[in-house]
Amino acid sequence: DDTGRPGEPYVWENYNPRLKVWLRCTNQAIYWVDGRLAHMVTYQDVTAERTMRDELAKLAYYDKQMSLPNNLKMQHDLREACEKQRRLLCFDIGSLRRVNDVYGRETGDRLLELIVDWVQQQRYEYDDFYRIDGDEFCLYFTGARQQRVLEIANEVMARFQEAWVLEIQEQYVSVLCGIYVAVVDVDI
């Protein structure tokens, strides 16, 4: 410290690409057993800890079924965003429960996968695509003009005017889904 006495350790983590490990480095001045001031540096392999932390973050922040970020991740991203213009295009697939009731949950899951694939194939300039709940999704835009987000909302609604074609027990079935869309300007 400023008085010449040992202070708190300085700790950081660093990835070593040559060894392919994460190391926790600790740098500290200490008094040696004979009273002399010594500089001590330690390294601890924390690769397993880092891997577990990353896996826990993925479990907390991502929908397991669709591999999309979830509501908790969206809230985190909105709090962390620095952009002044943040917009969400939220849509709720209104008839998913009916599809599940009539054709079974597996078919409903396949329908969701088809919808997610379609959204991801579009050339929308969104920052992220979240699954908020079972049948609720949001596209997150930073810096996008409101007019452009409204155009995308209209494109999404237009696609839902058409049937989604699913294979059910070796037969193709056309499924119409209702959709509710909202565009929200975000101020946090």
Side-chain angles (χ1 to χ4, degrees):
D1 67 9
D2 294 339
T3 64
R5 289 178 289 167
E8 292 296 315
Y10 178 67
V11 180
W12 72 97
E13 291 182 2
N14 187 40
Y15 182 72
N16 184 318
R18 192 175 63 107
L19 298 175
K20 298 181 179 168
V21 296
W22 279 96
L23 296 172
R24 180 172 297 132
C25 310
T26 305
N27 186 353
Q28 182 178 20
I30 62 168
Y31 286 115
W32 202 246
V33 291
D34 62 4
R36 290 181 295 150
L37 195 58
H39 181 219
M40 181 175 71
V41 178
T42 61
Y43 298 94
Q44 178 184 6
D45 182 349
V46 292
T47 305
E49 180 183 323
R50 258 318 256 249
T51 301
M52 186 177 298
R53 190 176 3 169
D54 292 346
E55 288 174 12
L56 285 172
K58 187 168 182 168
L59 287 172
Y61 283 142
Y62 286 84
D63 176 78
K64 198 162 87 172
Q65 181 186 4
M66 297 289 150
S67 299
L68 291 175
N70 63 19
N71 189 26
L72 186 61
K73 176 75 166 120
M74 183 181 74
Q75 291 174 26
H76 175 267
D77 291 350
L78 290 174
R79 279 192 305 275
E80 296 294 314
C82 296
E83 291 287 327
K84 294 201 183 329
Q85 286 187 330
R86 295 172 292 190
R87 293 190 167 89
L88 293 173
L89 188 162
C90 302
F91 58 96
D92 181 342
I93 302 162
S95 52
L96 181 64
R97 183 168 287 141
R98 179 159 167 69
V99 171
N100 285 341
D101 291 346
V102 172
Y103 298 107
R105 188 169 176 93
E106 275 186 28
T107 301
D109 290 347
R110 285 202 316 264
L111 174 63
L112 288 176
E113 290 167 6
L114 190 64
I115 292 168
V116 166
D117 288 346
W118 177 83
V119 170
Q120 291 174 330
Q121 290 171 9
Q122 304 311 300
R123 301 224 181 263
Y124 302 143
E125 308 87 29
Y126 60 83
D127 293 272
D128 224 329
F129 180 29
Y130 302 92
R131 184 177 188 190
I132 304 305
D133 200 10
D135 58 354
E136 298 171 18
F137 297 87
C138 281
L139 294 174
Y140 173 50
F141 299 87
T142 55
R145 291 179 301 110
Q146 184 178 24
Q147 183 59 37
R148 179 60 185 137
V149 177
L150 290 172
E151 290 169 5
I152 293 169
N154 286 329
E155 290 175 25
V156 170
M157 286 189 298
R159 174 57 185 94
F160 275 81
Q161 298 299 312
E162 304 169 23
W164 298 87
V165 179
L166 297 167
E167 185 177 349
I168 301 172
Q169 298 175 355
E170 299 180 13
Q171 293 183 345
Y172 289 98
V173 175
S174 296
V175 178
L176 282 171
C177 293
I179 185 171
Y180 305 98
V181 176
V183 175
V184 180
D185 288 341
V186 180
D187 293 318
I188 292 183

